[in-house]
């Protein structure tokens, strides 16, 4: 059976141009935890081109050597990588550093000069600029690169990867798009959302569009409701300062979970090309039914975790976390019910829920099918089977289908059973990290798994009224929930109907309803 590693190689048949990756925010957490270790994976798999270099940019006064030492050779996040001893020194030699104040346009002359020294026989190299700095610097960096001609593609191509958050609300996202587009063309801009790089998220499209049994059922005639959950058991940790200005709606829903929704609910694209797929995703965002103030107060719930004791350990409440105001009204939990106004989904409720300090870390998409029209077994006191299809995004990645089966013995006792597939069974290799896949795609000029400017604005368009209502109306409650529970009790009111509840998944895909301890 082909494994995932094999597929990754298969998808990587395109020739990869020689290139340089310039990382702004070179001494930041993302660079140490994800960017450099994931590029090292690509290096070990032989995916880097013959001439390749990484140039870290930051304020800290490193030399090439001291940066290599700190960011690569002594970086604890490389430790899980195979063949580390053989390859690490060779990889470190590809890494360079330039110290500059990114807030000063004139300083970019130093960056340009350094670039010409890195690949000396390449006059105008292909370059990816990775913006992993605080977002307030994005426009400044783009303008300064352009002021020094580093956006021009007369020789080599130039691409910019922009980290999330892309904007703070609709107006700032529009402004950011507008400013970036003055200096770079849309096809040079790669707005990264790491959820799109997850294997299990990409598999949503493959499951929907490569099987003949699912797509005919994928509509309002057969689907009763769709639930998307992204639960985390951790709190905000040392990111309180950032999180205070974000909250669950900006941090998870506007980007990751709406992107996930778009893959679950979009129409089939005409081709598997970046723009054909992104056109369908954008149409989906345009079909989200705008929320009125009444919808917001009835169908959106926010919460904040409160202190509790679990196994004798005191878990701090959000307001006690470092960097968080004691009177904070930032939500660490959000749940919403909404509709997609198009022919496929008219009147089908969609539910999204996310939160920190929930019982376990789990993300999944749950498709609840409608029950049979005729309950043939009901007179025999038998419950009708509930057909549910679950896409487990993480952990214990896989798919689970629930259907009714006769219990052996007399009568016709129906029991809902689980049929599951787990990714672990498909490959002996690890499932690649999203950053590995996304960086490789950008290196090849494939923007399919990156968000397009119009979609980002359209997803903000949907979220913006909720954020404004929360800011402006102190009457809208923010419910407390004890850390380690599934969020405010009040969220159950969103799902109305007999015997209908949120699915509370456990870490193990097929163990329904069992909670994991924090
Ligand atoms: C990030 C958020 O984008 O995604 C974090 O800023 C969140 O708050 C993280 O913890 C979740 O990502 P994952 O891949 O662990 O589900």
């Amino acid at each position: 059976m082909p494994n995932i590693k094999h597929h990754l190689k298969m998808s990587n048949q395109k020739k990869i141009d020689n290139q340089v990756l310039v990382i702004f925010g070179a001494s930041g957490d993302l660079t140490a935890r994800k960017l450099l270790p994931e590029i090292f994976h690509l290096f070990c798999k032989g995916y880097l081109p013959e001439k390749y270099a990484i140039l870290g940019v930051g304020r800290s006064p490193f030399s090439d050597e001291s940066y290599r030492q700190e960011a690569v050779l002594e970086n604890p996040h490389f430790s899980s990588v195979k063949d580390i001893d053989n390859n690490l020194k060779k990889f470190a030699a590809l890494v360079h550093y330039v110290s500059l104040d990114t807030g000063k346009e004139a300083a970019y002359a130093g960056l340009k000069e350094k670039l010409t020294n890195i690949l000396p026989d390449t006059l105008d190299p292909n370059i990816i600029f990775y913006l992993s700095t605080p977002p307030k610097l994005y426009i400044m960096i783009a303008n300064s690169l352009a002021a020094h001609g580093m956006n021009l593609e007369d020789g080599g191509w130039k691409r910019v990867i922009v980290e999330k958050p892309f904007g703070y609300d609709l107006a700032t996202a529009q402004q950011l798009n507008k400013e970036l587009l003055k200096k770079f063309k849309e096809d040079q801009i790669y707005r990264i959302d790491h959820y799109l790089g997850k294997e299990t998220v990409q598999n949503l499209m493959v499951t929907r569009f490569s099987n003949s049994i699912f797509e005919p059922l994928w509509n309002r005639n057969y689907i009763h409701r769709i639930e998307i959950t992204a639960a985390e058991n951790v709190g905000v940790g040392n990111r309180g300062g950032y999180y205070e200005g974000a909250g669950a709606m900006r941090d998870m829903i506007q980007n990751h979970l709406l992107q996930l929704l778009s893959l679950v609910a979009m129409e089939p694209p005409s081709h598997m090309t970046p723009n054909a797929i992104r056109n369908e995703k954008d149409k989906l965002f345009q079909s989200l039914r705008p929320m009125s103030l009444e919808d917001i107060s009835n169908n959106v719930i926010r919460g904040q975790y409160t202190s509790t004791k679990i196994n004798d350990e005191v878990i701090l409440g959000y307001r006690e976390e470092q960097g968080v105001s004691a009177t904070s009204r930032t939500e660490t939990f959000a749940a919403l019910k909404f509709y997609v106004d198009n022919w496929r989904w008219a009147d089908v409720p969609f539910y999204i829920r996310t939160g920190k300090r929930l019982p376990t870390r789990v993300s999944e998409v749950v498709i609840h099918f409608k029950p049979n029209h005729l309950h043939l077994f009901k007179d025999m006191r038998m419950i009708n089977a509930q057909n549910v299809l679950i896409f487990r995004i993480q952990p214990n990645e896989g798919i689970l289908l629930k259907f009714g089966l006769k219990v052996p013995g007399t009568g016709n006792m129906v029991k809902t059973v689980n049929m599951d597939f787990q990714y672990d069974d498909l490959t002996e290799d690890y499932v690649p990290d999203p950053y590995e896949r996304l960086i490789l795609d950008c290196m090849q000029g494939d923007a399919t798994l990156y968000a397009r400017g119009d979609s980002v604005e359209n997803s903000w368009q949907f979220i913006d009224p909720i954020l404004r209502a929360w800011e402006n109306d102190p009457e809208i409650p923010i419910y407390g929930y004890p850390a380690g529970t599934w969020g405010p009790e009040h969220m159950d009111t969103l799902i109305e109907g007999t015997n209908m509840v949120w699915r509370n998944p456990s870490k193990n895909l097929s163990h329904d309803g069992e909670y994991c301890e924090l």
Side-chain angles (χ1 to χ4, degrees), residues 164 194-195 198 232 239 242-243 251-252 256 356 361 363 394:
K164 79 168 265 259
H194 79 276
Y195 259 61
K198 291 182 191 275
E232 293 182 275
R239 296 170 74 224
Y242 150 78
Y243 201 84
D251 188 49
M252 290 293 290
H256 305 324
K356 299 226 182 257
R361 174 177 182 259
S363 297
Q394 64 194 22

Side-chain angles (χ1 to χ4, degrees), residues 228-256:
I228 299 179
T229 291
E232 293 182 275
N233 55 348
V234 292
V236 292
N238 57 10
R239 296 170 74 224
Y242 150 78
Y243 201 84
E244 271 289 84
M249 192 61 83
R250 288 188 174 91
D251 188 49
M252 290 293 290
I253 297 185
Q254 180 276 326
N255 36 65
H256 305 324

